Amino acid sequence: WQPCGSIAPTDQTQRGRDGGVMSARDEASDSTAQSFEVRSEANDGVRIIAVHGELDLSTAPELAESLREAVSSSDAALAIDFSGCGFIDSTGIALLVSTRKQLNGDGRGEGPGRLALCGVSRQVRRVFDITGLEPWMTVYPSLEEALAALRG
């Protein structure tokens, strides 16, 4: 028996960007950060932002930049497509709350635009439920339904 601190890494041990030994959770986070992607496009007066990968502390800045650009654009409506997102943490929740407040005039409905979320997985919806975000956000099953509502 050897204490954990004395186990030497083998050639097959995964190493992180900093060269340290990675746990299974670290490996998942490392690969997630590398595979995270945010795509943004304008579509007939609606800005669509598609999130792919896990939205957490390490990936949130990329989404934050796209959201800042969307809020400052001339598009009056914003749809965020979560169909490619399987996980969201409190950092992602904070981004959504901040964006909604900016678009809706700090929640008073007096702002320049509207926000709709769509394609939300069961796990992400559960986080919305736990945090109380679900009733405060408009969530549609698909992008097509979100676009129809925002244009209607």
Side-chain angles (χ1 to χ4, degrees), residues 129-147:
D129 288 339
I130 291 168
T131 59
L133 190 65
E134 180 84 26
W136 200 62
M137 293 281 184
T138 308
V139 181
Y140 296 92
S142 69
L143 178 59
E144 293 75 24
E145 292 173 83
L147 292 175

Side-chain angles (χ1 to χ4, degrees), residues 25 28-39 49-60 62-63 80-89 92 95-96 118-121 123-124 127-128:
R25 173 82 172 130
S29 295
D30 192 54
S31 65
T32 299
Q34 292 174 4
S35 65
F36 186 77
E37 180 182 17
V38 176
R39 283 185 258 145
I49 295 179
V51 179
H52 296 274
E54 293 187 1
L55 178 55
D56 59 23
L57 182 63
S58 66
T59 59
E62 189 173 340
L63 177 59
I80 304 177
D81 183 0
F82 282 97
S83 61
C85 179
F87 176 82
I88 186 171
D89 74 358
L95 282 174
L96 295 176
C118 61
V120 177
S121 71
Q123 202 286 333
V124 172
V127 173
F128 287 178

